[in-house]
Structures are given as C-alpha cells and as structure tokens.
C-alpha cells in the first residue's frame, strides 16, 4: 500500500508521459554511495532524494567525483505498449547518458552496462557520450506488465561533471527498423570505394532493400547506384561496396526499406574528393627559395622536389662549407659567417630537369623563416607514441612523397620521458624510445629533422617529467641528441605559476625566457615552439623571447566546432604579430587518421571541412604539422597536403599572415599579400547551408583569378558558384 501511494505521488510529481509505444520519465530517487543490494526491487528508497536524470548531479548540488551513486525509478509499464508494435518481442530501455559509466538493473536483474567501472577487469573506461539502449525480452526479460517495476541505475563518475544527463529514461517497443544503423567507410586509395554496413542492434527480424546512389555535386547528375536485398540479424552486420570516381565531388545516399512495414532508415555521406592535379613526372621544386640558419649551426635541408625517382641533384656555385647529396638533394655542412649565399640547384630525372635559385640566409635570427612543415605524434598516437611509430611515420613521409613537398620535422610530443631523471639530473627516456641520439641520426641521414616536447613545469600534461630546475641540462641533452625543434608546453607550470604573487605578463614570460637562453646557447638551430594556449596574449611578446611560434589557443580536435572556433574566431586580428621566424600557431592538423590513442580513425571533419582547414591554415601562415599516422594516409589526405600551389601560400617568403577582410552573413573572406605581388584569398561558407556566391563580388574580374586547389585559372562564367556548407574557394589573384 505504502509503495502504491508512493508510486502515485511520483507519477503526479514527475509526469510520466505515455504515448502509443513509449513511457518516459525524467525524475528518480537518488542516493550517494555504492551498495549492490540497492539493485533489489524491495530496497526501501523512501528516504532517497529526488533528482532530475536529464541534468548532471553537479548541477543539482551533488559534487560526487571519482565515486558512485545510485538512481532508482519506480515505473508502471503498461501492456498497451505492445499494441500496435509491428513485432512484440522486445522492449528497449533507453537510459539517459551517464557521466561516466553505468549499470542498469530491472527488478534486480542486470539488463545493460556501458563503459567500465574501476573495479572491472578492463579497468575504468568512461563512456559519457554513448547513448544507452538496453533491449529486454518482452516475455522473459523480467518486466512486470501493468505493475510496479524498479529500474536501478548504478553510476560511477571518473571526472567532473557527473551523473545521468541529457535525455529522460524512456521505455519503448521498437519497430523492426529501429535497431538498424548504417555505417560508411570511405576508402580513398587505389580504386576509391565506399563500404556501407547495415547492422541490427535488436533481435528483431527485418528484410528489405538497400538502395545506394551517388550524385555528382557539381552537376547534380547521378553517377552511380546499386540496390541489394538484405536481412541484417543482430550481431551479424551485412555490407555492400560501391566504387566512385575520386576526382568528382560526390554525395552518397543510402536508404534501407523494411519490406513488411515500409519503415526506412537513410544516411548521406559527402565522399572524399581530390582537387589537386597529379604532379608531373619531371622534377618540380615545391619549396620556398630560401632557408635560414644561424652561423656555425649544422645545415640540414632536404630540397623538396617531386617527380620520378631516381633523381640527380647538382648545384652551381655551391658555397664552401656546404655539400649537396647527389641522390636525395640533402644540403648539409655549416657556414660560420652571417650573410646571404645564393646558388642554383638542379634536379634531373629520366623525364627532364628543373632548377631553383636558392638563398641560404645565415644570421642570428634566421630560424623558421617560413612556417615549419612536418609531423607531430600527438593527434594520432598521443601518449602511446613510440620510436617505432615515429620511424614508421618518417619512412612513410619519404615513401609517400610528403618530404618532396617540404614536410621535414618529425616531432615527438608528450610521452617519451622516463619516470625519473638519471642520478646526475639529466633527463632519461622511457622504454618506448631506446635511443634518442640514434633516432636523431637516423632522421638526419634522411634529411629530416627531429622534434621533441617538454614543459617548463614539474610535469607535462600527460604526467611525464617536465624541465623545471633542469632547463640547461635538458637543452644540452637535446643538443646531444640532435634535436631541431622543441615544443615547450606550459601545463604543469601552472603549479609553479600559482605560487607567483604577481601574475602579470612577466610571470608568463619568465619560464619561456629561461629556456630560450639555454636553447640559443646550443650550437644547433632548435625551432622554439611555445605552447601555452594563448595566455597573457602570447602573440604580443612571443617574438621577444625569440620564439619561432606560439600556440594561440587550447587544443584542437576533429570537429567543425573546434576548427571553426580556433581557426576563424580566434585568429582574426592576429596577423600583425606574425613575421618570418615568428608565427602564430593555431595548433596541429586534424586530417587523416587521428585518434589521440593507439586506436586511430578517419578524421571526423567532412571532406569540405578538411579543404577549409588546409586552406585557412595555409593562409594563416600556420605551422603545418600533420597529426595523423602517415603510414595509413590515403590519397585524399595526400591530395590535401601535397598541393604545391596551396603550400606555396603557407611558405610565401613575405611571411604576411592572412586576416579576415569581410564577414557578411555566413561568408567570410580572408586574404594575405604575397611576395610576387599577388594576393591569396579564401572565401569560406561557415554556415550550415550551401551558398551561392559570385566571386566577382570579392575580386575584380580584370585580374587573373586562379583556383589554387584545382590549379587552373577561372573563366568569367565560373565565377558564379556554390560553396558547400563549411567549404571554401581558395584563390590567388594577380
Ligand atoms: C597539451 C598540448 C597538446 C599536447 C598535450 C600533450 O594539451 O596543448 O598539444 O602536447 O598537451 O600532453
């Protein structure tokens, strides 16, 4: 009786809403702590507090961190739910999301679990953003039809905020197609094709037709299709594959129709497309016509030249002290006196030859005269980086031809240090990096450069040792290993900084100035990359600590919101602070296979967003650090990263960063002047709808207007065009 009264009160209080096929509830009883007996229906929860399951518990006054709490819901599940459902086999309990992991019990019986708890064999693993759909057999799953059911949810919070959130708890009887989902794998390598997988999360029978079509987005014409009869069963996904032309800009649409109920599910995917024309077989110089070095520092410069191999490199008037390797075009040696040394380098292969007049600029402030190009381990491997992974990416950089476009820095991010320093205080490496010196030599032999990561604090962001109180020793170690690039990440320095009485700009400058002194004392050129997320307007003082670049924001990730916020919103107005040798750094690239772990996946940016990313980053004179596994790089990503005309904007020797020149509605225009008198212009559609744009509204028709991605001049009738959502046009005007 008592229980029934309670249920009635609860029903009125929380307003259960019952539609034809679902019952939904957002309020529950709540108790901190952990006791598995709370799963039992007979547990007396009358004294438990009331809580809203759609809002994190932090927002409701419960700061429960790294700990458990339980929710209990009393619910009448009406048998009328089954009426009208096309199959009456299962009932789905759709839980709110849980920050971070949950276990769900129905009348004392475990019906589902997402993520894993600290006590589990696999150890704690958050699954805070995963939707929870727990199917239960309608007859044997333990549902008490038309009576009181107790749904008890055990939640563990591994880091703020915590608890259930987002959607209410819904109990529903699904139709045949509801557990179906479509997944695409776009394989842009060799003969491009898209694999379409249809899976069924529920033990419901369905059979129907999957119809796939491919439409050319430029012409609106259908360019491919297939239909197939399928019957996906729970746990046994079925798939089809459809080829496509990677030079066309296409949209794929897949629709599955359940033949009995007529219910459909469908999904669309803009396919990857390659605009960059293939490089000629003849040699072509793809790099800037200059490179800077400090007097007395070793010169390591690999001439970026595409074209068929083998290739022979020769130089006319090569200054004394320098050597050019004939087979791979690596310039080495050292020059003791400041000044400009100009000479001509020629590359020749079976198909022809090409030359570049080149200047080696020798002087004290000559590091990074054009933005650095290369790779960093963070966006792909994060803390799982190892020497093996660095070497495999370096080898792929050479084999796949990226080094022929100027990518040369191979930078190890966080995760290389040992747990303790050596007894003499020098930094030690962990077992994943057998020898830094050998790695440095291996890279240099191939004309590549070696980058490393540390923090001015006690620990790095990943919890590895930082350089505090060992700055000189670390700079000396880097020199002895042959390091050419240091990313110096504030992170753990936050603790030292918290103790500062005066938190003015000087307190932000100090740790960076200290390392600058020791780095610059080393007899080699170490590109100095500040990483402190833009604090104290680092762009205003970065060049005065002789930093070669400084991160202007927090970390990027592969979603439009992140790229838009960092690239468009936070870079506007920063152009005046960039100059040769000193660059704003809007963070590393998020194209290709990324994942911040040992599990990599395709970047979640759409192909149009990826074109926008590279367009904007080259306009911004940003560091161009690839953040993916190069060994797994597909043709689409190579096309994005190896367009010589696009990269030439990034490497333009005038060194003027682009700024936003107009923003009307969703159309933003960014432009920068170039050394040859031309102007690079990006016209971006940052809105959620495709937009019709007339280029003549932004550029006089009297100029030569070149489409940089397609590498062709635009005719007057090509100026009126559609820019897809989050896409762009990249132009050079002269
Ligand atoms: C910070 C930096 C990242 C990366 C990680 C490593 O978050 O901003 O780029 O270096 O630390 O822990």
């Amino acid at each position: 009786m008592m229980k029934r009264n309670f249920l009635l009160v609860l029903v009125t209080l929380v307003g259960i809403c019952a539609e034809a096929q679902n019952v939904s509830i957002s309020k529950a009883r709540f108790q901190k702590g952990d006791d598995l007996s709370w799963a039992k229906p007979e547990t007396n929860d009358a004294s438990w507090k009331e809580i809203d399951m759609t809002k994190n518990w932090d927002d409701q006054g419960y700061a429960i961190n790294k700990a458990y709490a339980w929710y209990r819901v009393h619910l009448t599940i009406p048998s009328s739910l089954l009426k009208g459902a096309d199959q009456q086999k299962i009932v789905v309990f759709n839980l709110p999301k849980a920050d971070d992991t949950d276990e769900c019990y129905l009348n004392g019986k475990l019906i589902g679990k997402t993520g894993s708890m600290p006590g589990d064999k696999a150890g704690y693993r958050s699954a805070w953003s995963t939707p929870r759909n727990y199917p239960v057999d309608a007859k044997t799953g333990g549902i008490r039809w038309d009576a009181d059911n107790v749904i008890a949810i055990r939640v563990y919070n591994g880091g703020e905020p915590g608890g259930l959130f987002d959607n209410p708890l819904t109990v529903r009887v699904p139709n045949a197609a509801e557990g179906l989902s479509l997944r695409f794998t776009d394989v842009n390598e060799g003969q491009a094709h898209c694999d379409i997988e249809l899976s069924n999360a529920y033990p419901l029978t369905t059979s129907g037709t999957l119809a796939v079509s491919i439409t050319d987005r430029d012409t609106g014409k259908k360019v491919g299709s297939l239909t197939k009869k399928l019957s996906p069963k729970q746990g046994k996904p079925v798939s089809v594959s459809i080829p496509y032309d990677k030079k066309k800009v296409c949209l794929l649409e897949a629709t599955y129709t359940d033949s009995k109920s007529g219910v459909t599910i469908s999904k669309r995917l803009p396919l990857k497309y390659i605009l960059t024309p293939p490089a000629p077989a003849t040699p072509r110089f793809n790099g800037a016509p200059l490179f800077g070095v400090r007097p007395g520092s070793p010169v390591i410069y690999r001439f970026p030249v595409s074209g068929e191999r083998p290739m022979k490199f020769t130089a006319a008037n090569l200054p004394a002290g320098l050597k050019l390797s004939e087979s791979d075009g690596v310039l080495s040696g050292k020059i003791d006196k400041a000044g400009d040394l100009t000479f001509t380098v020629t590359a020749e292969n079976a198909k022809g030859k090409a030359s570049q007049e080149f200047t080696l600029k020798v002087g004290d402030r000559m590091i990074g005269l054009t933005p650095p190009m290369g790779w960093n381990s963070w966006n792909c491997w994060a803390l799982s980086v190892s020497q093996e992974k660095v070497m495999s990416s370096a080898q792929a950089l050479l084999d796949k031809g990226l080094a022929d476009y100027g990518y040369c820095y191979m930078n190890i991010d966080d995760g290389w240090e040992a747990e303790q320093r050596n007894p003499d205080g020098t930094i030690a490496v962990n077992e994943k990096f057998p020898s830094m010196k050998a790695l440095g030599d291996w890279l240099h032999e191939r004309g590549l450069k070696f980058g490393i990561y540390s923090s001015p604090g006690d620990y790095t962001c990943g919890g590895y040792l930082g350089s505090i109180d060992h700055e000189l020793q670390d700079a000396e170690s880097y020199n002895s290993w042959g390091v050419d690039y240091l990313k110096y990440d504030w992170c753990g320095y936050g603790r030292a900084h918290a103790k500062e009485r005066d938190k003015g700009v000087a307190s932000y400058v100090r740790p960076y100035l200290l390392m600058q002194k020791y780095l610059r004392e080393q007899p080699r050129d170490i590109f100095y990359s500040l990483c402190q997320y833009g604090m104290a307007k680092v762009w205003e003082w970065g060049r005065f600590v002789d930093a070669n670049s400084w991160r202007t924001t927090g970390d990027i990730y592969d979603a439009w919101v992140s790229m838009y916020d960092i690239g468009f919103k936070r870079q506007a107005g920063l152009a005046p602070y960039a100059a040769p040798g000193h660059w704003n750094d809007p963070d590393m690239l998020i194209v290709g296979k990324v994942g911040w772990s040992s599990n990599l996946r395709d970047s979640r940016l759409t192909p149009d967003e990826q074109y926008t990313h590279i367009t904007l980053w080259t306009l911004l004179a940003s560091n161009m650090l690839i953040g993916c596994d190069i060994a797994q790089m597909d043709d689409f990503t190579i096309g994005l990263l190896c367009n010589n005309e696009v990269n030439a904007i990034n490497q333009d020797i005038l060194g003027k960063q682009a700024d936003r020149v107009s923003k009307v509605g969703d159309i933003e225009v960014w432009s920068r002047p170039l050394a040859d008198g031309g102007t690079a212009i990006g016209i971006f559609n940052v809105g959620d709808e495709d937009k019709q744009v007339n280029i003549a509204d932004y550029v006089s028709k009297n100029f030569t207007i070149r489409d940089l991605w397609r590498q062709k001049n635009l005719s007057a009738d090509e100026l009126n065009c559609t820019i897809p959502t989050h896409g762009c046009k990249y132009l050079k005007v002269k």
Side-chain angles (χ1 to χ4, degrees):
M1 189 60 192
M2 184 58 209
K3 200 181 264 176
R4 183 164 287 180
N5 281 347
F6 168 67
L7 179 65
L8 280 177
V9 171
L10 197 68
V11 168
T12 357
L13 256 179
V14 302
I16 289 178
C17 91
E19 290 163 28
Q21 263 130 256
N22 75 58
V23 184
S24 171
I25 184 167
S26 56
K27 298 274 168 69
R29 300 265 139 187
F30 181 71
Q31 178 68 49
K32 291 196 242 178
D34 189 33
D35 183 340
L36 285 177
S37 75
W38 293 344
K40 293 186 185 155
E42 58 273 19
T43 297
N44 184 350
D45 54 19
S47 63
W48 288 27
K49 298 275 183 304
E50 189 187 285
I51 195 163
D52 185 336
M53 292 187 284
T54 65
K55 291 190 192 114
N56 288 106
W57 61 42
D58 295 42
D59 297 338
Q60 302 179 72
Y62 301 103
I64 309 166
N65 205 7
K66 300 211 181 327
Y68 293 86
W70 284 68
Y71 296 73
R72 282 169 59 94
V73 173
H74 292 256
L75 193 63
T76 299
I77 305 180
S79 53
S80 59
L81 277 189
L82 294 170
K83 296 204 185 99
D86 61 4
Q87 297 181 42
Q88 302 181 346
K89 275 163 84 177
I90 58 162
V91 175
V92 172
F93 288 73
N94 169 219
L95 261 58
K97 287 182 183 153
D99 192 348
D100 291 282
T101 68
D102 72 285
E103 270 169 16
C104 179
Y105 298 84
L106 171 67
N107 300 322
K109 188 174 155 192
L110 183 68
I111 59 164
K113 170 172 181 147
T114 306
S116 83
M117 310 276 185
D120 294 349
K121 216 166 159 201
Y124 165 66
R125 189 170 45 80
S126 170
W128 66 274
S129 60
T130 312
R132 275 93 170 144
N133 289 306
Y134 301 144
V136 166
D137 191 285
K139 283 201 187 109
T140 60
I143 297 173
R144 296 171 181 164
W145 291 104
D146 300 313
D148 182 33
N149 290 270
V150 178
I151 301 150
I153 309 167
R154 180 186 187 215
V155 176
Y156 176 78
N157 175 27
E160 289 144 17
L164 299 177
F165 71 105
D166 203 25
N167 49 295
L169 164 66
T170 303
V171 181
R172 52 173 214 281
V173 178
N175 64 42
E178 214 180 296
L180 297 178
S181 58
L182 285 161
R183 198 167 69 100
F184 299 131
T185 310
D186 182 355
V187 184
N188 197 278
E189 235 184 316
Q191 164 63 69
H193 56 278
C194 186
D195 299 330
I196 301 139
E197 186 186 86
L198 180 65
S199 47
N200 189 351
Y202 301 145
L204 297 177
T205 313
T206 169
S207 68
T209 308
L210 180 70
V212 185
S213 71
I214 297 182
T215 313
D216 183 323
R217 287 159 58 195
D218 285 333
T219 62
K221 288 206 179 104
K222 205 184 213 189
V223 289
S225 66
L226 71 76
T227 54
K228 194 153 185 201
K229 291 218 175 308
L230 299 170
S231 309
K233 300 205 168 46
Q234 190 185 29
K236 288 196 181 135
V238 286
S239 51
V240 298
S241 184
I242 185 164
Y244 69 89
D245 179 352
K246 56 190 168 190
K247 297 218 176 67
K248 290 202 167 112
V249 186
C250 292
L251 179 73
L252 179 142
E253 290 181 276
T255 303
Y256 174 79
T257 309
D258 176 63
S259 39
K260 196 163 155 222
S261 64
V263 174
T264 62
I265 61 154
S266 53
K267 202 169 165 180
R268 314 165 112 204
L269 178 77
L271 292 166
K272 294 172 180 174
Y273 56 96
I274 302 176
L275 299 179
T276 304
T282 48
R284 186 181 67 194
F285 281 78
N286 295 315
L290 55 78
F291 177 71
V293 65
R294 293 189 308 160
S297 291
V299 175
I300 308 165
Y301 180 78
R302 188 183 187 282
F303 278 91
V305 181
S306 54
E308 244 177 53
R309 269 25 187 204
M311 203 176 273
K312 190 175 151 198
F313 292 85
T314 50
N317 310 320
L318 192 66
L322 295 179
K323 208 171 80 192
L324 179 69
S325 82
E326 202 180 90
S327 59
D328 52 12
V330 176
L331 188 69
S332 58
K334 110 179 138 64
I335 301 289
D336 291 322
K337 236 176 85 210
D340 287 359
L341 303 170
T342 298
F343 50 97
T344 303
V345 175
T346 299
E348 185 169 5
N349 66 9
K351 297 284 159 58
K353 63 176 172 181
S355 296
Q356 183 183 46
E357 186 171 288
F358 188 78
T359 303
L360 185 69
K361 293 182 88 67
V362 188
D364 277 339
R365 289 274 184 134
M366 292 295 164
I367 303 174
L369 293 182
T370 61
M373 296 177 76
W375 175 86
N376 172 293
S377 55
W378 186 250
N379 292 352
C380 43
W381 308 117
L383 297 177
S384 77
V385 63
S386 65
Q387 176 166 311
E388 214 185 326
K389 286 172 176 158
V390 176
M391 286 172 78
S392 117
S393 270
Q395 194 56 56
L397 188 95
L398 295 162
D399 295 345
K400 295 192 174 225
L402 283 106
D404 302 339
Y405 286 81
Y407 296 96
C408 62
Y409 284 100
M410 294 300 301
N411 296 352
I412 305 168
D413 207 279
D414 206 354
W416 58 268
E417 309 91 327
E419 277 184 10
Q420 282 187 337
R421 289 181 169 265
N422 295 315
D424 65 356
T426 54
I427 189 74
V429 292
N430 61 40
E431 64 295 342
K432 295 184 294 163
F433 288 89
S435 166
M436 287 301 202
K437 167 89 173 78
L439 179 56
D441 289 347
W442 186 89
L443 291 167
H444 293 152
E445 275 158 26
R446 287 153 182 79
L448 302 180
K449 298 200 184 137
F450 182 23
I452 210 146
Y453 165 98
S454 187
S455 167
D458 46 1
Y459 288 98
T460 65
C461 293
Y464 287 79
L465 287 177
S467 293
I468 200 162
D469 299 333
H470 295 274
E471 290 85 356
L472 174 60
Q473 274 182 315
D474 286 359
E476 286 174 349
S477 295
Y478 303 154
N479 172 54
S480 72
W481 298 340
V483 164
D484 307 298
Y485 190 115
L486 173 67
K487 172 173 171 182
Y488 208 41
D489 186 357
W490 175 271
C491 234
Y493 191 77
R495 281 180 285 276
H497 189 252
K499 294 183 200 136
E500 294 264 4
R501 235 187 294 145
D502 179 354
K503 297 206 171 50
V505 176
S507 68
Y508 289 89
V509 173
R510 197 175 305 123
Y512 287 100
L513 201 52
L514 186 62
M515 187 49 112
Q516 179 257 354
K517 175 171 161 14
Y518 297 135
L519 273 193
R520 295 304 182 228
E521 279 171 15
Q522 304 309 311
R524 63 181 303 113
D525 292 356
I526 302 182
F527 186 100
Y528 189 27
S529 146
L530 273 44
C531 175
Q532 47 84 287
Y533 338 116
M535 290 184 298
K537 296 191 179 161
V538 61
W539 44 88
E540 288 182 354
W541 51 266
R543 63 192 298 176
F544 302 112
V545 299
D546 194 16
N548 302 111
S549 70
W550 44 85
R551 277 269 299 278
T552 52
T553 69
D555 292 13
I556 198 166
Y557 60 96
D558 56 332
W560 171 253
V561 277
S562 169
M563 202 248 288
Y564 174 71
D565 180 64
I566 287 180
F568 289 93
K569 279 166 89 177
R570 294 178 190 271
Q571 305 310 313
L574 299 190
Y577 304 102
H582 310 285
W583 309 104
N584 289 303
D585 173 6
D587 208 357
M588 300 167 293
L589 303 177
I590 35 164
V591 299
K593 288 219 187 291
V594 295
W596 293 268
S597 68
S598 49
N599 294 322
L600 302 187
R601 53 172 163 73
D602 261 354
S603 169
R604 289 183 175 141
L605 295 182
T606 66
D608 294 321
E609 290 167 353
Q610 297 193 47
Y611 275 101
T612 289
H613 181 28
I614 303 300
T615 300
L616 186 58
W617 262 237
T618 53
L619 276 166
L620 292 173
S622 165
N623 301 21
M624 293 293 283
L625 293 178
I626 300 166
C628 65
D629 179 11
I630 303 178
Q632 293 188 61
M633 195 180 275
D634 64 5
D635 294 347
F636 167 73
T637 312
I638 293 178
L640 282 170
L641 297 171
C642 298
N643 183 313
N644 62 318
E645 295 197 19
V646 166
N647 293 356
I649 306 300
N650 175 259
Q651 295 292 300
D652 187 75
I653 58 173
L654 197 59
K656 293 255 183 246
Q657 174 178 329
D659 220 333
R660 185 162 58 202
V661 290
S662 87
K663 177 167 167 52
V664 179
D666 289 330
I667 301 295
E668 294 200 12
V669 181
W670 291 64
S671 85
R672 64 181 278 185
L674 302 169
D676 66 1
T679 305
I681 302 177
I683 307 178
F684 301 93
N685 173 6
V686 299
D688 295 335
E689 307 277 329
D690 295 357
K691 287 266 149 65
Q692 202 60 34
V693 166
N694 190 352
I695 292 173
D697 291 346
Y698 304 95
V699 181
S700 159
K701 279 191 270 187
N702 301 329
F703 289 117
T704 308
I705 305 174
R706 189 156 175 85
D707 178 329
L708 288 172
W709 282 111
R710 292 190 155 92
Q711 304 196 347
K712 72 187 220 347
N713 294 346
L714 292 180
S715 60
D717 56 2
E718 287 172 309
L719 298 183
N720 224 328
C721 58
T722 304
I723 304 187
T725 161
H726 302 174
C728 67
K729 281 276 168 206
Y730 200 2
L731 310 169
K732 179 170 170 180
V733 174
K734 228 184 150 185

